[in-house]
């Protein structure tokens, strides 16, 4: 039973007594209820690879040896695990040409003797053993990433149980979460909150992990923009890592001295810019009326596919498909990195729904968390599928959207391509050299080595015009300045000493 805390609070006094069950004769029975503050884990996945088998082998080595029988048992168990590891490597080599692949398998790899000994010596590792058995008996998802190769085992979807409880009431803030499948009972209660005070600012710039890796200066453009435009407590959140690149470390270095960015703590207690996966349940940012989300918490494609299979498919049913249909299914789960799309639209929508739920959790870290507040809240989002805008509008009823343009991105792209060095020079001069005081155009041209014949064309370029407008800068004559043109702030009419 899924219901948000806010809604449950309104109904608890007179509705809680109705949570009873009835047997087939109509007799009322008591029913145990557990209330949870967070959504429980609804998916069960385990990676089966060499590391897992080595982990079990090490556990066997740690078994204390008291007699010859125990020594023989340990040697036998290590031999079986070694054979399983060899078989796993054979299967990895068989599918190595694929990035991801649903593997259907049916092999009894572990003997009854081994299972009995495992139960005797290594009960704490029962889940790991179950994953290995399930993989060889049923199959899983083959994953060939840049850093590792493994099979992701998807446990069968069973009735949700926890000890002796049969009714669960838990926080279901993520109403669009695709994990809430039909076996969950939802209270159909309209969200009474309107979000007319929330504006989502869309910056049409790709800030995916790969985009940041390929152009590291993107982060500098964003942090410079934050430094210059945010002057009240601001919640900034982005990735932790991208491959070997520590994005969070770079963002923290560039923003740790910005007085308005509210910092979080990592597991070592060090002040850091908040990152995806480390903000849930935290109240550090609930006073923030500004939020900047750099990128989207998009999971690796294999994790998304595994979650989709767990939620909607069944490995046993896949075994029953003929080769032609199974080939179609294999194409559905393939991810096109260039287009950022899966082979079937249902998978794409599933991924977007999960991304929206993650965004919702981040938004509710801010002032939006206070249901009684009507203060203006501005959420800045970079990139994202156009369909996410419609989903956001449905979830945050009454919110508004604005498109933001950061001209420095275009200038940076030109710089990366080696296009128009004068644009880059002027951009760098304004952001890093100029102190804000009026300065003659002739002096700027001299410093930047820009010919007078080119200057007039340069300042008419769209990128430059947008940059000047955004920073309140004008190029014109000043009172008392003669015929000279000056670079100055809007509203300045007299030369300053």
């Amino acid at each position: 039973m899924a219901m948000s805390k806010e809604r449950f609070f309104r109904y608890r006094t007179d509705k809680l007594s109705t949570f009873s069950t009835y047997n087939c004769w109509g007799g009322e029975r008591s029913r145990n209820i557990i209330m949870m503050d967070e959504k429980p884990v609804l998916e069960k996945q385990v990676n089966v690879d060499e590391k897992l088998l080595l982990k079990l082998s090490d556990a066997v080595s740690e078994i204390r040896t008291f007699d010859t029988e125990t020594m023989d048992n340990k040697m036998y168990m290590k031999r079986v695990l070694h054979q399983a590891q060899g078989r796993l490597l054979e299967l990895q080599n068989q599918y190595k040409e694929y990035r991801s692949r649903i593997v259907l398998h049916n092999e009894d790899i572990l003997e009854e003797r081994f299972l009995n000994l495992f139960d005797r010596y290594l009960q704490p590792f029962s889940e790991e053993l179950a994953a290995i058995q399930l993989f060889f008996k049923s199959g899983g998802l083959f994953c060939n990433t840049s850093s590792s190769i493994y099979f992701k085992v998807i446990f069968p979807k069973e009735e949700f149980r926890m000890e002796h409880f049969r009714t669960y009431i838990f926080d279901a803030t993520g109403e669009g979460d695709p994990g809430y499948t039909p076996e969950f009972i939802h209270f159909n209660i309209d969200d009474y909150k309107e979000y007319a005070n929330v504006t989502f600012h869309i910056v049409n710039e790709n800030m995916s992990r790969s985009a940041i890796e390929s152009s590291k200066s993107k982060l500098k453009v964003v942090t410079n923009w934050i430094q210059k435009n945010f002057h009240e407590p601001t919640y900034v959140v982005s990735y932790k890592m991208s491959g070997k690149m520590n994005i969070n470390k770079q963002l923290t270095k560039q923003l740790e001295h910005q007085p308005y960015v509210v910092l979080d703590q990592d597991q070592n207690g060090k002040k850091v810019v908040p990152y995806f996966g480390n903000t849930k349940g935290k109240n550090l940012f609930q006073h923030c009326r500004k939020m900047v989300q750099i990128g989207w918490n998009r999971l690796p494609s294999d994790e998304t596919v595994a979650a989709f299979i767990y939620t909607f498919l069944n490995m046993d049913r896949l075994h029953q498909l003929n080769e032609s249909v199974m080939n179609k299914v294999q194409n559905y789960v393939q991810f096109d990195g260039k287009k950022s799309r899966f082979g079937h639209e249902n998978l794409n929508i599933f991924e977007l729904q999960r991304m929206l739920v993650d965004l919702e959790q981040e938004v509710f870290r801010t002032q939006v968390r206070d249901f009684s507040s009507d203060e203006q809240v501005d959420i800045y989002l970079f990139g994202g599928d156009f369909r996410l805008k419609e989903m956001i509008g449905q979830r945050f009823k009454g919110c508004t959207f604005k498109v933001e343009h950061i001209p420095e991105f275009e200038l940076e792209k030109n710089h990366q391509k080696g296009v128009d060095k004068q644009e880059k020079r002027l951009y760098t001069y304004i952001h890093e050299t100029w102190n804000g005081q009026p300065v003659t155009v002739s002096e700027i041209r001299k410093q930047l080595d820009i010919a007078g014949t080119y200057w007039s064309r340069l300042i008419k370029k769209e990128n430059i015009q947008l940059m000047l407008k955004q920073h309140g800068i004008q190029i014109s004559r000043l009172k008392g300045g003669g015929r000279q043109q000056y670079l100055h702030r809007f509203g300045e009419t007299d030369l300053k000493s």
Side-chain angles (χ1 to χ4, degrees):
M1 184 172 297
M3 179 190 268
S4 70
K5 287 188 298 183
E6 294 289 340
R7 295 181 193 175
F8 184 76
F9 180 80
R10 301 174 62 203
Y11 283 78
R12 64 185 178 131
T13 53
D14 60 341
K15 297 288 184 181
L16 190 57
S17 61
T18 65
F19 292 126
S20 303
T21 55
Y22 296 83
N23 59 31
C24 58
W25 298 280
E28 184 174 346
R29 300 178 60 191
S30 62
R31 187 178 185 92
N32 292 320
I33 298 174
I34 182 170
M35 294 185 66
M36 304 169 67
D37 185 45
E38 297 291 346
K39 165 191 167 183
V41 176
L42 300 180
E43 303 158 11
K44 191 173 181 182
Q45 308 169 13
V46 175
N47 292 351
V48 172
D49 56 9
E50 289 182 85
K51 291 181 181 178
L52 181 63
L53 288 162
L54 287 172
K55 175 182 176 181
L56 295 182
S57 183
D58 289 342
V60 171
S61 299
E62 294 296 321
I63 297 173
R64 297 180 66 181
T65 305
F66 297 103
D67 49 34
T68 304
E69 181 189 4
T70 305
M71 177 64 73
D72 291 341
N73 289 339
K74 287 176 62 174
M75 292 178 63
Y76 165 74
M77 294 177 72
K78 289 181 74 72
R79 185 168 64 250
V80 172
L81 288 172
H82 181 72
Q83 290 171 353
Q85 182 179 353
R87 184 72 183 106
L88 189 70
L89 291 173
E90 289 177 4
L91 291 171
Q92 287 183 357
N93 189 59
Q94 180 179 340
Y95 296 104
K96 65 181 180 181
E97 63 182 280
Y98 299 103
R99 166 60 181 86
S100 59
R101 187 82 174 170
I102 297 175
V103 175
L104 302 178
H105 206 64
N106 186 4
E107 180 180 356
D108 287 318
I109 194 76
L110 303 176
E111 301 172 345
E112 190 69 27
R113 179 190 172 191
F114 177 88
L115 297 177
N116 290 333
L117 290 174
F118 197 97
D119 187 58
R120 176 179 172 183
Y121 295 114
L122 299 176
Q123 275 195 347
F125 299 92
S126 58
E127 182 173 284
E128 289 85 346
L129 177 66
I132 294 169
Q133 286 182 286
L134 182 59
F135 168 67
F136 282 106
K137 190 64 180 176
S138 179
L141 183 69
F142 174 69
C143 307
N144 186 359
T145 73
S146 58
S147 58
S148 60
I149 300 176
Y150 54 90
F151 292 94
K152 188 174 285 292
V153 175
I154 303 148
F155 279 76
K157 191 170 187 180
E158 301 171 349
E159 183 181 353
F160 186 72
R161 293 182 181 275
M162 183 182 292
E163 297 179 347
H164 59 284
F165 293 102
R166 297 183 62 194
T167 296
Y168 313 86
I169 303 172
F170 58 88
D171 184 352
T173 306
E175 297 172 18
D177 192 330
Y180 295 142
T181 43
E183 63 266 27
F184 292 95
I185 302 171
H186 294 258
F187 277 79
N188 187 19
I189 305 168
D190 289 335
D191 191 340
Y192 60 87
K193 172 70 176 177
E194 292 287 335
Y195 297 92
N197 60 317
V198 179
T199 299
F200 289 91
H201 302 258
I202 310 299
V203 183
N204 291 318
E205 183 67 30
N206 183 5
M207 294 298 289
S208 65
R209 290 180 176 87
S210 58
I212 292 174
E213 277 191 283
S214 62
S215 178
K216 296 179 178 61
S217 57
K218 277 177 170 280
L219 288 182
K220 188 62 177 175
V221 171
V222 174
T223 53
N224 283 342
W225 171 73
I226 292 173
Q227 294 269 14
K228 292 177 171 59
N229 292 280
F230 292 83
H231 307 290
E232 64 174 275
T234 302
Y235 173 39
V236 179
V237 62
S238 187
Y239 313 104
K240 183 179 182 181
M241 300 289 296
S242 176
K244 295 182 180 179
M245 180 182 178
N246 193 323
I247 294 176
N248 183 256
K249 184 177 181 180
Q250 293 195 30
L251 283 174
T252 299
K253 183 178 180 180
Q254 295 171 23
L255 290 175
E256 61 184 344
H257 299 301
Q258 213 278 6
Y260 299 108
V261 172
V262 181
L263 298 177
D264 191 9
Q265 287 187 342
D266 64 11
Q267 58 185 4
N268 299 316
K270 183 181 177 181
K271 292 285 188 180
V272 295
V273 170
Y275 56 84
F276 297 135
N278 194 45
T279 63
K280 190 173 182 179
K282 294 187 177 180
N283 300 321
L284 296 170
F285 324 103
Q286 59 186 355
H287 61 298
C288 296
R289 297 180 301 177
K290 305 286 185 185
M291 169 184 157
V292 180
Q293 177 174 290
I294 305 171
W296 290 83
N297 189 21
R298 193 172 196 171
L299 296 176
S301 60
D302 53 276
E303 291 189 29
T304 300
V305 171
F308 183 84
I309 293 174
Y310 178 90
T311 305
F312 296 111
L313 302 181
N314 180 292
M315 292 298 289
D316 291 337
R317 291 281 301 275
L318 292 178
H319 275 273
Q320 299 171 17
L321 300 179
N322 61 44
E323 184 177 354
S324 176
V325 176
M326 192 60 203
N327 285 336
K328 289 183 180 180
V329 174
Q330 297 287 12
N331 290 330
Y332 293 159
V333 302
Q334 299 309 311
F335 184 74
D336 186 332
K338 293 182 179 179
K339 296 180 180 178
S340 294
R341 292 282 190 276
F342 289 98
H344 197 282
E345 194 60 14
N346 285 351
L347 250 170
N348 294 319
I349 296 298
F350 178 79
E351 181 183 48
L352 293 177
Q353 288 175 320
R354 289 167 66 96
M355 289 166 64
L356 176 66
V357 170
D358 288 337
L359 169 66
E360 182 180 348
Q361 293 294 327
E362 303 299 352
V363 170
F364 275 100
R365 303 273 74 80
T366 71
Q367 181 72 35
V368 177
R369 190 180 187 88
D370 183 356
F371 272 44
S372 64
S373 174
D374 290 322
E375 291 188 59
Q376 175 63 35
V377 178
D378 295 282
I379 313 293
Y380 294 81
L381 306 174
F382 286 79
D385 191 292
F386 69 94
R387 289 167 295 186
L388 277 167
K389 179 180 176 182
E390 182 179 347
M391 292 180 176
I392 292 170
Q394 291 173 348
R395 173 61 189 92
F396 296 94
K397 298 174 184 176
C399 72
T400 55
F401 293 90
K402 289 185 179 179
V403 176
E404 294 288 330
H405 186 82
I406 303 178
E408 286 80 357
F409 276 121
E410 293 301 323
L411 294 171
E412 202 61 29
K413 287 175 186 175
N414 286 345
H415 174 60
Q416 292 290 334
K417 297 174 184 176
V419 177
D420 204 336
K421 294 180 180 179
Q422 285 81 2
E423 276 192 22
K424 178 62 180 177
R425 289 174 186 169
L426 183 56
Y427 163 78
T428 303
Y429 174 82
I430 289 175
H431 287 83
E432 300 178 11
T433 305
W434 187 44
N435 62 7
Q437 296 295 315
V439 59
T440 63
V441 168
S442 58
E443 176 61 26
I444 295 172
R445 289 189 6 244
K446 181 179 178 181
Q447 287 189 44
L448 305 183
D449 192 24
I450 300 176
T453 54
Y454 183 71
W455 175 263
S456 59
R457 278 191 292 152
L458 175 63
I459 62 173
K460 290 179 182 178
K461 288 193 172 187
E462 183 179 2
N463 293 336
I464 299 298
Q465 286 290 311
L466 285 169
M467 180 182 66
L468 295 177
K469 182 179 179 181
Q470 184 186 43
H471 295 287
I473 298 172
Q474 193 171 0
I475 298 175
S476 65
R477 296 178 185 177
L478 287 177
K479 184 178 180 181
R483 300 179 62 83
Q484 287 267 27
Q485 284 199 323
Y486 289 81
L487 183 79
H488 62 92
R489 301 288 186 190
F490 281 126
E492 291 176 333
T493 56
D494 296 292
L495 283 173
K496 298 178 181 178
S497 59

